Amino acid sequence: MFTPKLTEPVLTKRIPTYPFGDEADRRIVSYDDYVKTGGYGALRAALAMPPEDVVNAVKESGLRGRGGAGFPTGLKWTFLPKADDPDEPGVRYLAVNADESEPGTFKDRLLLDYDPHLMLEGIAIACYACRLSVAYVYIRGEYHHQARVVENAIKEAYEHGVFGAKGLLDGADTATGKPWAVECHLHRGAGAYICGEETALLESIEGKRGWPRNKPPFPAIEGLFGKPTIINNVETLAHVPSIVEHGADWFKTMGCESSLGGPPSYGSKLMGVSGHVNRPGVYECDLGIPLRVLVEDHSKGMRNGKKFKSAIVGGASTGVIGPDDFDAPMDFDIGRRCNVLGLGTACPTIFDEDTDMVAVARNLARFYKHESCGQCTPCREGSGWMLQLLERIEAGDGRTKDLDLTLEIATSMGAMPGTTICGLADGNNWAVRTILNKFRGEFEARVKPTYVPVTVAVGAAANG
């Protein structure tokens, strides 16, 4: 039986959300409302700490990136080169990934919609801790309303001295003995999925075509405008103020340890549930919550009383789980446990018993084919061939050999096989091959058998 450790909201403290509040009471949190509820207190506490102590607090908390990869945040911050003079390290950047273009993912949107100052406080703390002087919030092109909300919040932050040339909090003293100034800007994308990849995001901010870069050099060494750069997700940065305020040990009381001997999954997580459920939405949960609990409790069960069949675990690129994995814990071990790419954004799309999994695979392949930047041949050509095969199979014109050919194409494209620069092709191949492997019967029922005629000659005919 699952017992939640999250007894009160952390990220959704000011955003009424089940089971802690009524969604009807939601409204945009202004600067004044944010400060009245303790906002920017963590920033003031951080400024009283040496920057390296803030980095260590985040590192000790075990906070892992909430954008999809789950990389330890504090460890990423230590990758920045050491400056000869920490008080004058030169221009270094923070790029905030608010692109959120992964199909089925909409959890960052909740924070951008209602509580943008939580992200801004996380930005300010990260910039102080890592000695970064400029932050860019890269927001998804289709997030028109959210862009206006964040832009207004940044304006409020400047008006009240959070950002600006005087220094954080109107030039407040810091543990270093000098104020630390940060400039914060909003940059709107043009709606390209590929710009959610961190180096393509940097190219886009620089005004270039959103093509992923070869690595190395890595962004921490040579990132935005050729300078050291940290790239963090919205939800990741939103966790930083509470870690500074309450400490690393407090953060570890939520979430779960690894059941497979790997790194733990500490803290709470925003999980956006969509698909065939009665109450889709974004919920703040402990990492490790079973998918069944997330569906049956938070989302009020399967729609129309139908049975659970499958789910995309956390954004389209992670692949699908089958009906036997309905009780799978939603933690960072789910990749190894259920043979999917990983937890991803932890935003599951739920499918009921009537879902046509062949159509799901074809639809996902169509998306990836459309969004490929075309820079790498295996992705550009492979995604197109995969879509053609799946369209043929869905139409009933395929043969059994097409199933093996689809899998062959899928497993030979992607950054993990070492054939592409970024992971878009990996998302394509994991989405398609997990569906095909776990629901092969549905695909076989749609294709014609491939026969290889074999003739056997005996007796006199064999010699003739």
Side-chain angles (χ1 to χ4, degrees), residues 345-373:
T345 57
C347 290
T349 303
I350 310 300
F351 301 126
D352 66 25
E353 57 190 312
D354 294 333
T355 304
D356 181 351
M357 300 306 293
V358 179
V360 172
R362 185 265 308 150
N363 193 37
L364 292 174
R366 181 185 62 83
F367 170 81
Y368 284 108
K369 192 266 183 187
H370 180 268
E371 294 295 342
S372 172
C373 75

Side-chain angles (χ1 to χ4, degrees), residues 406-459:
T406 301
L407 288 174
E408 182 182 345
I409 293 173
T411 52
S412 61
M413 55 187 277
M416 286 186 286
T419 61
T420 61
I421 293 174
C422 85
L424 184 142
D426 293 291
N428 192 352
N429 87 55
W430 275 87
V432 170
R433 66 190 171 99
T434 56
I435 296 173
L436 206 162
N437 283 328
K438 295 178 182 182
F439 297 93
R440 190 178 179 97
E442 291 191 32
F443 288 81
E444 291 177 341
R446 299 282 271 274
V447 299
K448 302 166 186 175
T450 301
Y451 292 110
V452 179
V454 177
T455 58
V456 178
V458 296

Side-chain angles (χ1 to χ4, degrees), residues 178-260:
K178 298 179 180 179
W180 184 255
V182 175
E183 301 293 340
C184 183
H185 310 286
L186 181 73
H187 186 101
R188 299 184 68 171
Y193 170 72
I194 193 64
C195 289
E197 196 276 335
E198 61 178 18
T199 59
L201 181 151
L202 299 180
E203 290 284 292
S204 182
I205 293 176
E206 292 179 3
K208 303 172 186 174
R209 184 174 183 174
W211 272 12
R213 299 175 181 175
N214 277 307
K215 294 181 282 190
F218 292 94
I221 304 300
E222 187 178 320
L224 195 57
F225 305 111
K227 301 295 184 181
T229 304
I230 290 295
I231 305 167
N232 283 139
N233 168 261
V234 170
E235 185 186 351
T236 307
L237 290 167
H239 268 297
V240 171
S242 62
I243 292 172
V244 171
E245 181 179 0
H246 301 291
D249 291 339
W250 165 84
F251 188 76
K252 293 177 182 179
T253 62
M254 298 169 285
C256 63
E257 299 286 345
S258 170
S259 60
L260 301 178

